[in-house]
Amino acid sequence: MLMMSWILAVCSGKKVGTYLSDITGAFDRVCKIYLLAKLHAAGVGAKYLNFLDAYLSPRKGKVVVQGAESELFILEDTVFQGTVLGPPLWNVFFSDVAVPAKATGGKEAMFADDLNVFQLFERQEAMEDVMDVLTKCRTRVHSWGRCNRVAFDASKEHLVVMHPSEYHGDAFKLLGCMID
């Protein structure tokens, strides 16, 4: 659907500006106190917050490979991957990044720890102005990241303008599909 909307926009004489990002070690960087506050704000009751507080308490872990064991280490400020609660807890933690992502007029698309923002521009809009808007979007998202103690992976971030003759940026992957 997203690809079809881009094609329609380009065929309608628009440029599609994109900011693509990915959080570094996302599930392992969820501040428990922030998550519980976000759950409370979302209306989760005290009984469930107490359960989640206990569930998210630090744990000791180790890695075992063919019988060889690592030293014990502490697992904290994480939503445990591979558990049934991991994805929904992450989604609550990550959902408010949509506010700064949309602040410049774009539409966000989130999947797991990926945030992508797409915005339509008139074809006549100067590339410098389009890139300025995309850069402001990225700056606002990075500010959200600092406030929430997460970082964005610079090697997976892209500012791209899609148009057949007036484009900017390199090919990128979106959910495994190469877009060039």
Side-chain angles (χ1 to χ4, degrees):
M1 187 66 169
L2 191 55
M3 296 282 278
M4 297 302 290
S5 70
W6 296 343
I7 292 168
L8 178 61
V10 169
C11 290
S12 299
K14 307 279 187 192
K15 294 177 186 173
V16 181
T18 61
Y19 164 58
L20 306 146
S21 68
D22 181 277
I23 291 183
T24 303
F27 283 67
D28 298 330
R29 302 193 192 280
V30 176
C31 177
K32 176 179 143 179
I33 295 168
Y34 293 5
L35 174 58
L36 291 173
K38 290 180 183 197
L39 288 163
H40 176 71
V44 174
K47 184 181 206 177
Y48 296 106
L49 286 174
N50 288 336
F51 165 76
L52 291 169
D53 184 33
Y55 174 76
L56 295 168
S57 292
R59 302 175 186 187
K60 293 180 182 177
K62 62 182 170 182
V63 176
V64 179
V65 178
Q66 295 181 346
E69 297 181 2
S70 72
E71 296 289 323
L72 284 177
F73 52 89
I74 303 296
L75 296 165
E76 61 185 331
D77 287 331
T78 184
V79 290
F80 304 105
Q81 291 186 52
T83 66
V84 71
L85 291 177
L89 289 174
W90 170 255
N91 288 343
V92 168
F93 182 78
F94 192 45
S95 67
D96 61 340
V97 75
V99 173
K102 296 187 296 189
T104 56
K107 174 145 179 54
E108 89 288 353
M110 295 186 279
F111 181 77
D113 61 349
D114 295 341
L115 168 68
N116 305 300
V117 182
F118 306 99
Q119 188 164 348
L120 301 183
F121 296 89
E122 295 299 326
R123 184 176 183 271
Q124 300 84 351
E125 186 93 25
M127 189 63 73
E128 181 178 301
D129 294 339
V130 173
M131 293 305 295
D132 184 52
V133 169
L134 296 175
T135 300
K136 285 178 183 172
C137 176
R138 177 178 58 196
T139 299
R140 288 180 170 148
V141 168
H142 281 208
S143 178
W144 175 92
R146 283 188 300 280
C147 290
N148 285 274
R149 299 182 181 178
V150 298
F152 292 85
D153 186 341
S155 70
K156 295 181 180 177
E157 278 195 315
H158 305 278
L159 299 178
V160 178
V161 178
M162 294 181 278
H163 188 272
S165 61
E166 298 180 41
Y167 55 88
H168 172 83
D170 298 322
F172 60 92
K173 279 190 172 183
L174 182 64
L175 298 176
C177 297
M178 181 61 74
I179 313 295
D180 61 3

